[in-house]
Structure formats: C-alpha cells, structure tokens
Amino acid sequence: MQHATDLSLLEISAVFLSLTALLAYLNKRFIGLPTSIGVMAISLVLSIFAIFLGLLGFDKLIDYEKGLLAELDFTEVLLDGMLSMLLFAGALHINLGDLRTYKLPIAILALFGTLVSSLLIAAAVYFTLPLFGFELSFIWCLLFGALISPTDPIAVMGILASAGAPKSLETVIAGESLFNDGVGVVIFVLLLGILNSGDIPTTGYILHSLAVEAGGGILFGLILGAILYYLLKSINSYQEEVLITLAGVLGGYALASHYHLSGPLAMVMMGLMIGNKGRAYAMSDQTRHYVDLFWELVDEILNAILFVLIGLEVVVIAYSGNLFMAAALAIVIALLARYIVVGLTTKTFRKQLDLPTGAWKVLTWGGLRGGISVALVLQLPSSPERDVLLALTYAIVIFSILVQGLTIGKVAKSIAPSKQKVLGPGA
C-alpha cells in the first residue's frame, strides 16, 4: 500500500472527496440524518474503529489515516481554503431586513457574549483542571475560552435550517454566529501573539488592533461588495457573474489576510451586500437562480467535507482516564457559559428584544461549536498544554454537533412561533 506521505495534493484531495461522497451516500441511503451530522458520525465511528484495531496490534489503518491528516493540514484547509466560501455562502441567504430587526441581540451576543464567555470559560478551566492533574497558566485558559466561545456559523447554519426553529431565532443565531466568528478569531490571534512573545500589550494597543483588524475587515468587505455589485450590474451573463462572485470571495479573503484584516468579517459583509442589494438590483432572474444554486452546492459540499475531517481528526488525540473526565467537565462549562451569556442578554434587554417566550432555550442549546474551534486549537504551539486543550476542544465540538445538533429541533418545537417578549432563564 502506498504511504500517505507519498501522495500528491491531488491524490489526497481525491481520497477525502471520495470518502465524503461515500459517507454522504451511506447516510442518505441507510441512516437519514442531516448530512453534516451523518457524515461526521460515520467518520467518527470509522476513526474509533481504527483506534480499536490499533490497540489490537493492527496499526496500518490508523497510521494511514494519521498520515493523510498530517498531509492535509486541517487549519490551512479550513482557515485558508474553505472558510471564505462557507461564510460568503451563509451570509448570501440572510435577509438584511431581518438582520436589522434583530441587530441588538445579534450585536450583544456577538461582541459582549463572546468576550464574557471567553473569560468565564477561562476562569472555570483554570480553577477546575488541577482537580484532574492538569495545570495550565491563565494565558492558555484564555486562549481556550477565545477559541471555544464563538458559535460556529458553519455548524449552526448547516443544522439549524432543518431544525424548525422560529424564523426570528434562526436569524439571531445565524447572524450571531457569522459575526462572533470574526470577533473570536481576532481575540484568539491577539492572545496567541501574547503567548508567543511573552509580552503583555497595552490596552491601547489591544483596542487599536481590534479596531484595525475587525473594523478594517468590515470596511474592506463593504468596499469589495460595492465593487462586485457594480461589476454584476454592468453585465447580464450568469456564467461570468458566478465567476465574479467566486473570484471576489477567494481573492478578497486572500487580500484581507495579507493586510491583516479580518477575512471572516469581510466575507460576511460582502455576502450580505451581494445577497441582498446584489440579488435584488444587479442580477437577472436567470443569474440569481444560478448564483444561488452554485453557492448552495458549494456550501453543501464543503460542509460535508469539513464534518468528515472533524470526525477523522479524533485519531490525533491521546485520551486518558483523567482527560476524559476533564473533557466531560469542559462540555458542562461551555454550556453553562453560554447559558449565563444568553440569560444576561435576555434578562437585561427583555423589553427591547422581540423574540418568542423561552427563546433562551434555543439560543443556549443552538450555540453549536464546530470546525473553526478545531482549526484554532491546532494553531497552538506544540506542548503538553496544547494536547490537553485539543482533547477538550474535540469533546465539546463532537458533543455540540452530535448531541445538540440532533436535539435542537425538539428544543425549537417547544418555542411558540408567535412573537412575544422574551423571558430569560428561570422565567
């Protein structure tokens, strides 16, 4: 058998794409779960089976899987390859009018919620991990809080669409996940810089960096969206217009990254502009049909590949008894932090929010974590601390997608569809 390290990029890509297609078929034919959840569940079972065979002395399968994953760098594939297209595709179908209606809860949860959740998780992990024999400095705990707090737009939007949530809640959760992703990445990068340099920057430097990266990303996305809008409006040919959107996404994300602007936020703003103003005034019916169809297919295919990769990546984690218990506690901590943030938001702004009664249940349980958290934790420098955080992150992501993702529909159905003032936890 050819070793994974002997394979070219084309061959490795073909292996993962073929595996994804096979698992998607098996799920559709025999299991019937939502595609994202189904392919991840099957790939996770395959990884566990490979680990079991390895324990019995049959190491070739797990070695081959690890070799493939090592060749196809998960962080690079997601952050530099898939993320731009997935965020643009997600934002493309969000109604800007609905987003404006719920701008207050979205802004609070994306900004305030991400910061508070990061601090809560960091503090809880810092004080509880020593109980299981793992002591991490506070900067490592802050990094963990920053990478696990943002709800993943890829996981959220891929699963929520079939969950049957009220439209208002779907808008809030999807909008929050699109923006807090950019916020979380900016915070993580700042903290990672502190870890690598050992220097604690001034408050002014932190605020300046946040303003430049986040604000610059938003402004860049708006400018690029305006350019694409002009180009789309000046012609009427769906082939070229689809190509223009693809070039704008890939080229725009590369430019934003090169100039240290927030690529995720730029893609969200560009997607909102093209998905609303562009679709309404710059495209014919035929072009609109093909643009929508193209980006829906891109979204579905990349989502499936991403969730297969998440399931396969579990083989890189070395779990122990204590680490299993620490991971279980980390799941509880992440859920509690989300519950507190949502509870504070819905209680404090009860009069201003126009959401169904009991919306906090869906907002809490629908705060899914996914591939972005995995990609960020894999960026941490190799160390015992990284190994611990990798295990905790995978546990939360797998629980989030398999357990929360499969049950969010039942939670959503318990919410009255009629709009009422939201009541927070305990109400």
Side-chain angles (χ1 to χ4, degrees):
M1 180 181 288
Q2 190 178 21
H3 292 292
T5 52
D6 298 329
L7 298 178
S8 67
L9 178 60
L10 176 61
E11 290 171 321
I12 294 171
S13 301
V15 169
F16 283 110
L17 185 58
S18 300
L19 180 60
T20 300
L22 175 61
L23 298 188
Y25 170 80
L26 291 174
N27 174 67
K28 194 71 174 179
R29 180 73 174 82
F30 300 107
I31 302 175
L33 291 173
T35 303
S36 298
I37 300 177
V39 296
M40 178 181 163
I42 301 172
S43 62
L44 185 60
V45 169
L46 290 176
S47 293
I48 293 172
F49 180 67
I51 293 171
F52 178 71
L53 288 180
L55 294 175
L56 295 178
F58 301 96
D59 297 328
K60 285 189 176 180
L61 181 59
I62 194 168
D63 288 343
Y64 190 78
E65 184 176 338
K66 286 181 178 179
L68 282 173
L69 292 169
E71 288 290 325
L72 195 71
D73 185 278
F74 185 94
T75 300
E76 184 178 356
V77 167
L78 177 57
L79 294 183
D80 296 336
M82 295 183 179
L83 188 59
S84 59
M85 292 185 281
L86 287 166
L87 288 174
F88 178 82
L92 193 65
H93 296 101
I94 289 184
N95 186 285
L96 200 54
D98 293 339
L99 207 61
R100 289 196 190 100
T101 301
Y102 300 102
K103 60 182 180 293
L104 180 62
I106 290 172
I108 293 169
L109 289 170
L111 296 173
F112 167 80
T114 303
L115 288 169
V116 172
S117 176
S118 298
L119 290 172
L120 288 174
I121 291 174
V125 167
Y126 180 75
F127 288 110
T128 58
L129 279 186
L131 300 176
F132 303 97
F134 306 106
E135 293 195 14
L136 275 65
S137 61
F138 196 62
I139 184 65
W140 283 95
C141 297
L142 282 172
L143 279 163
F144 179 64
L147 69 88
I148 208 66
S149 288
T151 54
D152 192 319
I154 301 162
V156 169
M157 299 179 74
I159 293 170
L160 201 63
S162 58
K167 183 65 178 177
S168 57
L169 291 182
E170 189 177 334
T171 300
V172 171
I173 296 177
E176 176 207 356
S177 67
L178 284 169
F179 286 101
N180 70 11
D181 164 59
V183 173
V185 171
V186 170
I187 296 171
F188 177 85
V189 169
L190 282 172
L191 291 171
L192 187 59
I194 295 172
L195 176 70
N196 291 332
S197 67
D199 297 327
I200 300 177
T202 62
T203 304
Y205 174 82
I206 293 174
L207 293 176
H208 178 263
S209 298
L210 286 171
V212 170
E213 188 158 346
I218 291 172
L219 180 60
F220 178 73
L222 290 173
I223 293 172
L224 191 57
I227 294 172
L228 290 187
Y229 173 80
Y230 171 78
L231 294 176
L232 294 172
K233 192 173 183 180
S234 63
I235 61 173
N236 182 23
S237 175
Y238 73 85
Q239 296 97 330
E240 286 78 11
E241 290 181 76
V242 170
L243 183 59
I244 286 170
T245 61
L246 180 60
V249 170
L250 295 178
Y253 195 88
L255 274 176
S257 300
H258 179 74
Y259 290 106
H260 304 291
L261 305 175
S262 175
L265 289 175
M267 292 304 101
V268 170
M269 298 310 298
M270 190 172 75
L272 289 173
M273 281 193 68
I274 300 302
N276 287 270
K277 188 176 180 181
R279 290 178 77 256
Y281 303 110
M283 300 180 192
S284 65
D285 290 340
Q286 185 184 39
T287 297
R288 194 179 303 119
H289 169 74
Y290 280 105
V291 167
D292 286 348
L293 188 62
F294 174 80
W295 284 106
E296 283 171 11
L297 284 172
V298 168
D299 190 37
E300 288 290 332
I301 292 169
L302 292 184
N303 257 305
I305 295 172
L306 173 60
F307 281 85
V308 166
L309 288 174
I310 292 174
L312 294 176
E313 282 276 351
V314 77
V315 298
V316 305
I317 303 170
Y319 276 106
S320 64
N322 281 359
L323 201 49
F324 268 117
M325 291 188 289
L329 180 62
I331 292 170
V332 175
I333 289 172
L335 284 173
L336 283 175
R338 177 72 181 172
Y339 172 82
I340 291 170
V341 166
V342 169
L344 285 173
T345 302
T346 54
K347 279 288 190 182
T348 304
F349 298 95
R350 178 186 304 189
K351 293 182 180 179
Q352 291 87 348
L353 303 183
D354 187 23
L355 296 171
T357 301
W360 64 271
K361 298 175 186 176
V362 179
L363 291 173
T364 299
W365 201 245
L368 307 180
R369 276 79 172 190
I372 290 173
S373 294
V374 175
L376 292 179
V377 76
L378 288 171
Q379 282 193 305
L380 294 173
S382 296
S383 63
E385 291 89 347
R386 176 187 184 271
D387 295 340
V388 173
L389 296 187
L390 183 61
L392 302 186
T393 301
Y394 264 104
I396 292 172
V397 169
I398 290 170
F399 177 89
S400 174
I401 295 171
L402 293 186
V403 179
Q404 291 174 245
L406 284 174
T407 56
I408 185 61
K410 293 180 180 179
V411 178
K413 288 175 183 176
S414 69
I415 305 299
S418 60
K419 289 185 178 180
Q420 304 169 40
K421 295 297 182 181
V422 70
L423 300 180

mmCIF file of all heavy atoms in Angstrom, residues 126-143:
data_model
loop_
_atom_site.group_PDB
_atom_site.id
_atom_site.type_symbol
_atom_site.label_atom_id
_atom_site.label_comp_id
_atom_site.label_asym_id
_atom_site.label_seq_id
_atom_site.Cartn_x
_atom_site.Cartn_y
_atom_site.Cartn_z
ATOM 1 N N TYR A 126 -9.336 27.209 34.453
ATOM 2 C CA TYR A 126 -8.126 27.479 35.246
ATOM 3 C C TYR A 126 -8.236 26.889 36.648
ATOM 4 O O TYR A 126 -7.267 26.343 37.195
ATOM 5 C CB TYR A 126 -7.901 28.989 35.321
ATOM 6 C CG TYR A 126 -6.684 29.395 36.113
ATOM 7 C CD1 TYR A 126 -5.404 29.246 35.586
ATOM 8 C CD2 TYR A 126 -6.812 29.932 37.395
ATOM 9 C CE1 TYR A 126 -4.285 29.630 36.313
ATOM 10 C CE2 TYR A 126 -5.704 30.310 38.133
ATOM 11 C CZ TYR A 126 -4.438 30.155 37.581
ATOM 12 O OH TYR A 126 -3.330 30.522 38.319
ATOM 13 N N PHE A 127 -9.424 26.982 37.260
ATOM 14 C CA PHE A 127 -9.592 26.524 38.645
ATOM 15 C C PHE A 127 -9.996 25.054 38.761
ATOM 16 O O PHE A 127 -9.810 24.450 39.814
ATOM 17 C CB PHE A 127 -10.632 27.395 39.359
ATOM 18 C CG PHE A 127 -10.136 28.780 39.676
ATOM 19 C CD1 PHE A 127 -10.640 29.883 38.999
ATOM 20 C CD2 PHE A 127 -9.149 28.989 40.628
ATOM 21 C CE1 PHE A 127 -10.179 31.165 39.280
ATOM 22 C CE2 PHE A 127 -8.674 30.256 40.919
ATOM 23 C CZ PHE A 127 -9.195 31.356 40.239
ATOM 24 N N THR A 128 -10.553 24.476 37.697
ATOM 25 C CA THR A 128 -11.043 23.092 37.799
ATOM 26 C C THR A 128 -10.091 22.047 37.215
ATOM 27 O O THR A 128 -10.075 20.909 37.689
ATOM 28 C CB THR A 128 -12.416 22.938 37.119
ATOM 29 O OG1 THR A 128 -12.311 23.333 35.741
ATOM 30 C CG2 THR A 128 -13.468 23.798 37.819
ATOM 31 N N LEU A 129 -9.314 22.389 36.191
ATOM 32 C CA LEU A 129 -8.426 21.402 35.590
ATOM 33 C C LEU A 129 -7.407 20.807 36.574
ATOM 34 O O LEU A 129 -7.089 19.613 36.469
ATOM 35 C CB LEU A 129 -7.692 21.995 34.383
ATOM 36 C CG LEU A 129 -8.460 22.041 33.063
ATOM 37 C CD1 LEU A 129 -7.558 22.515 31.932
ATOM 38 C CD2 LEU A 129 -9.070 20.698 32.713
ATOM 39 N N PRO A 130 -6.875 21.599 37.540
ATOM 40 C CA PRO A 130 -5.949 20.996 38.511
ATOM 41 C C PRO A 130 -6.555 19.825 39.293
ATOM 42 O O PRO A 130 -5.824 18.963 39.782
ATOM 43 C CB PRO A 130 -5.602 22.168 39.438
ATOM 44 C CG PRO A 130 -5.747 23.379 38.575
ATOM 45 C CD PRO A 130 -6.914 23.071 37.685
ATOM 46 N N LEU A 131 -7.894 19.782 39.399
ATOM 47 C CA LEU A 131 -8.554 18.675 40.092
ATOM 48 C C LEU A 131 -8.291 17.345 39.382
ATOM 49 O O LEU A 131 -8.378 16.278 40.001
ATOM 50 C CB LEU A 131 -10.059 18.923 40.179
ATOM 51 C CG LEU A 131 -10.509 20.184 40.933
ATOM 52 C CD1 LEU A 131 -12.024 20.341 40.831
ATOM 53 C CD2 LEU A 131 -10.077 20.125 42.392
ATOM 54 N N PHE A 132 -7.982 17.405 38.081
ATOM 55 C CA PHE A 132 -7.740 16.189 37.302
ATOM 56 C C PHE A 132 -6.253 16.019 36.973
ATOM 57 O O PHE A 132 -5.884 15.181 36.148
ATOM 58 C CB PHE A 132 -8.549 16.229 36.002
ATOM 59 C CG PHE A 132 -10.025 16.401 36.230
ATOM 60 C CD1 PHE A 132 -10.615 17.651 36.143
ATOM 61 C CD2 PHE A 132 -10.821 15.315 36.569
ATOM 62 C CE1 PHE A 132 -11.975 17.815 36.361
ATOM 63 C CE2 PHE A 132 -12.178 15.474 36.788
ATOM 64 C CZ PHE A 132 -12.755 16.727 36.697
ATOM 65 N N GLY A 133 -5.407 16.849 37.586
ATOM 66 C CA GLY A 133 -3.966 16.725 37.384
ATOM 67 C C GLY A 133 -3.412 17.530 36.235
ATOM 68 O O GLY A 133 -2.279 17.310 35.816
ATOM 69 N N PHE A 134 -4.194 18.496 35.709
ATOM 70 C CA PHE A 134 -3.719 19.327 34.599
ATOM 71 C C PHE A 134 -3.679 20.784 35.052
ATOM 72 O O PHE A 134 -4.715 21.364 35.370
ATOM 73 C CB PHE A 134 -4.644 19.203 33.385
ATOM 74 C CG PHE A 134 -4.860 17.786 32.935
ATOM 75 C CD1 PHE A 134 -6.062 17.139 33.183
ATOM 76 C CD2 PHE A 134 -3.856 17.095 32.277
ATOM 77 C CE1 PHE A 134 -6.271 15.842 32.771
ATOM 78 C CE2 PHE A 134 -4.054 15.785 31.863
ATOM 79 C CZ PHE A 134 -5.255 15.156 32.109
ATOM 80 N N GLU A 135 -2.505 21.371 35.080
ATOM 81 C CA GLU A 135 -2.365 22.772 35.492
ATOM 82 C C GLU A 135 -1.919 23.600 34.290
ATOM 83 O O GLU A 135 -0.838 23.383 33.748
ATOM 84 C CB GLU A 135 -1.373 22.889 36.644
ATOM 85 C CG GLU A 135 -1.873 22.237 37.929
ATOM 86 C CD GLU A 135 -1.070 22.653 39.142
ATOM 87 O OE1 GLU A 135 -0.312 23.646 39.032
ATOM 88 O OE2 GLU A 135 -1.209 22.001 40.184
ATOM 89 N N LEU A 136 -2.742 24.550 33.903
ATOM 90 C CA LEU A 136 -2.452 25.426 32.769
ATOM 91 C C LEU A 136 -2.343 26.860 33.262
ATOM 92 O O LEU A 136 -3.114 27.276 34.140
ATOM 93 C CB LEU A 136 -3.555 25.335 31.714
ATOM 94 C CG LEU A 136 -3.483 24.210 30.667
ATOM 95 C CD1 LEU A 136 -3.623 22.840 31.330
ATOM 96 C CD2 LEU A 136 -4.552 24.411 29.605
ATOM 97 N N SER A 137 -1.399 27.601 32.692
ATOM 98 C CA SER A 137 -1.308 29.025 33.029
ATOM 99 C C SER A 137 -2.542 29.735 32.476
ATOM 100 O O SER A 137 -3.204 29.242 31.556
ATOM 101 C CB SER A 137 -0.032 29.635 32.453
ATOM 102 O OG SER A 137 -0.035 29.534 31.045
ATOM 103 N N PHE A 138 -2.828 30.913 33.000
ATOM 104 C CA PHE A 138 -4.079 31.579 32.660
ATOM 105 C C PHE A 138 -4.137 31.980 31.187
ATOM 106 O O PHE A 138 -5.221 32.020 30.597
ATOM 107 C CB PHE A 138 -4.295 32.801 33.547
ATOM 108 C CG PHE A 138 -5.711 33.308 33.529
ATOM 109 C CD1 PHE A 138 -6.758 32.507 33.966
ATOM 110 C CD2 PHE A 138 -6.010 34.567 33.043
ATOM 111 C CE1 PHE A 138 -8.079 32.953 33.941
ATOM 112 C CE2 PHE A 138 -7.318 35.030 33.006
ATOM 113 C CZ PHE A 138 -8.350 34.217 33.462
ATOM 114 N N ILE A 139 -2.981 32.276 30.575
ATOM 115 C CA ILE A 139 -2.998 32.662 29.160
ATOM 116 C C ILE A 139 -3.475 31.503 28.285
ATOM 117 O O ILE A 139 -4.222 31.694 27.314
ATOM 118 C CB ILE A 139 -1.600 33.152 28.707
ATOM 119 C CG1 ILE A 139 -1.635 33.645 27.261
ATOM 120 C CG2 ILE A 139 -0.562 32.042 28.852
ATOM 121 C CD1 ILE A 139 -2.477 34.855 27.035
ATOM 122 N N TRP A 140 -3.111 30.264 28.643
ATOM 123 C CA TRP A 140 -3.601 29.097 27.901
ATOM 124 C C TRP A 140 -5.108 28.934 28.092
ATOM 125 O O TRP A 140 -5.833 28.586 27.154
ATOM 126 C CB TRP A 140 -2.879 27.830 28.371
ATOM 127 C CG TRP A 140 -1.494 27.694 27.829
ATOM 128 C CD1 TRP A 140 -0.330 28.082 28.435
ATOM 129 C CD2 TRP A 140 -1.120 27.144 26.556
ATOM 130 N NE1 TRP A 140 0.742 27.797 27.622
ATOM 131 C CE2 TRP A 140 0.291 27.214 26.466
ATOM 132 C CE3 TRP A 140 -1.829 26.589 25.498
ATOM 133 C CZ2 TRP A 140 1.000 26.759 25.352
ATOM 134 C CZ3 TRP A 140 -1.127 26.132 24.383
ATOM 135 C CH2 TRP A 140 0.268 26.215 24.321
ATOM 136 N N CYS A 141 -5.577 29.199 29.302
ATOM 137 C CA CYS A 141 -7.015 29.106 29.573
ATOM 138 C C CYS A 141 -7.786 30.180 28.804
ATOM 139 O O CYS A 141 -8.888 29.931 28.299
ATOM 140 C CB CYS A 141 -7.276 29.232 31.075
ATOM 141 S SG CYS A 141 -6.543 27.899 32.050
ATOM 142 N N LEU A 142 -7.197 31.392 28.700
ATOM 143 C CA LEU A 142 -7.832 32.456 27.926
ATOM 144 C C LEU A 142 -7.908 32.074 26.437
ATOM 145 O O LEU A 142 -8.916 32.334 25.773
ATOM 146 C CB LEU A 142 -7.061 33.761 28.087
ATOM 147 C CG LEU A 142 -7.277 34.531 29.391
ATOM 148 C CD1 LEU A 142 -6.296 35.693 29.485
ATOM 149 C CD2 LEU A 142 -8.709 35.046 29.498
ATOM 150 N N LEU A 143 -6.845 31.463 25.944
ATOM 151 C CA LEU A 143 -6.847 31.014 24.556
ATOM 152 C C LEU A 143 -7.958 29.992 24.323
ATOM 153 O O LEU A 143 -8.665 30.035 23.305
ATOM 154 C CB LEU A 143 -5.490 30.406 24.199
ATOM 155 C CG LEU A 143 -4.383 31.400 23.845
ATOM 156 C CD1 LEU A 143 -3.022 30.738 23.932
ATOM 157 C CD2 LEU A 143 -4.608 31.967 22.447
#
